[in-house]
Amino acid sequence: MFKNTHLPQSTPQKQAEKTRKEGFTLVEILIVIAIIATLATVAIGNLGGIFSGQQEKTASLFINQTAKLVFTSYKLDVGSYPTTEQGLKALIQAPSGKESKWKGPYIDAMPEDPWGNPYQYRFPGTRNINKSSGYDIWSLGQDGVESADDIGNWN
């Protein structure tokens, strides 16, 4: 028989090199997955810090803008701010003795801060530097208790 000298002969070593060049090894894929998982863990861990600042801004915006408008409307209609005892409920339901002047509801539901706690209200206020409004309204903050992290219309 005759021998074909024109075709390159395939050796097992050359076949292994071709196979390796055609795809990724299992180890390479696992390394990439581990790197992606590590980066995702770091990113997710940092999201809490990003969103916590937004929660404080949201509470401050409600206190200094929305509540101010709602309480001003209430005072113009009724003649005074709700008492501490009447609280924020006076914005939803007419307080006893004020039914004839009350033109609410001024809000749809009892407001909650971004952490799911009810806003606190006091009239006359004791902490508001701007005594022209005369009331205190505040969020207890992330910890849910009265402390230094409270967000109110005095800061």
Side-chain angles (χ1 to χ4, degrees), residues 8-38:
Q9 293 191 356
S10 181
T11 63
Q13 184 179 11
K14 287 183 182 180
Q15 287 177 349
E17 286 178 13
K18 283 183 185 179
T19 305
R20 249 190 305 227
K21 291 180 183 179
E22 292 177 6
F24 297 106
T25 66
L26 180 60
V27 173
E28 290 170 331
I29 292 172
L30 290 175
I31 289 172
V32 170
I33 290 172
I35 291 171
I36 291 171
T38 303

Side-chain angles (χ1 to χ4, degrees), residues 85-116:
E85 293 75 29
Q86 293 166 338
L88 298 175
K89 189 175 180 183
L91 301 172
I92 299 171
Q93 182 179 359
S96 179
K98 305 282 184 179
E99 295 89 358
S100 63
K101 295 180 178 182
W102 192 81
K103 294 184 174 89
Y106 299 90
I107 56 176
D108 294 331
M110 290 297 286
E112 290 184 346
D113 67 15
W115 299 277

Side-chain angles (χ1 to χ4, degrees), residues 54-94:
Q54 296 305 314
Q55 291 170 320
E56 291 172 5
K57 286 180 185 177
T58 301
S60 181
L61 182 65
F62 174 82
I63 290 166
N64 294 309
Q65 300 297 322
T66 307
K68 186 182 239 179
L69 291 171
V70 170
F71 282 117
T72 301
S73 295
Y74 181 92
K75 183 179 179 186
L76 289 172
D77 292 343
V78 177
S80 66
Y81 294 114
T83 64
T84 302
E85 293 75 29
Q86 293 166 338
L88 298 175
K89 189 175 180 183
L91 301 172
I92 299 171
Q93 182 179 359

Side-chain angles (χ1 to χ4, degrees), residues 39-57:
L39 291 174
T41 302
V42 170
I44 290 171
N46 288 332
L47 287 179
I50 292 169
F51 291 130
S52 67
Q54 296 305 314
Q55 291 170 320
E56 291 172 5
K57 286 180 185 177

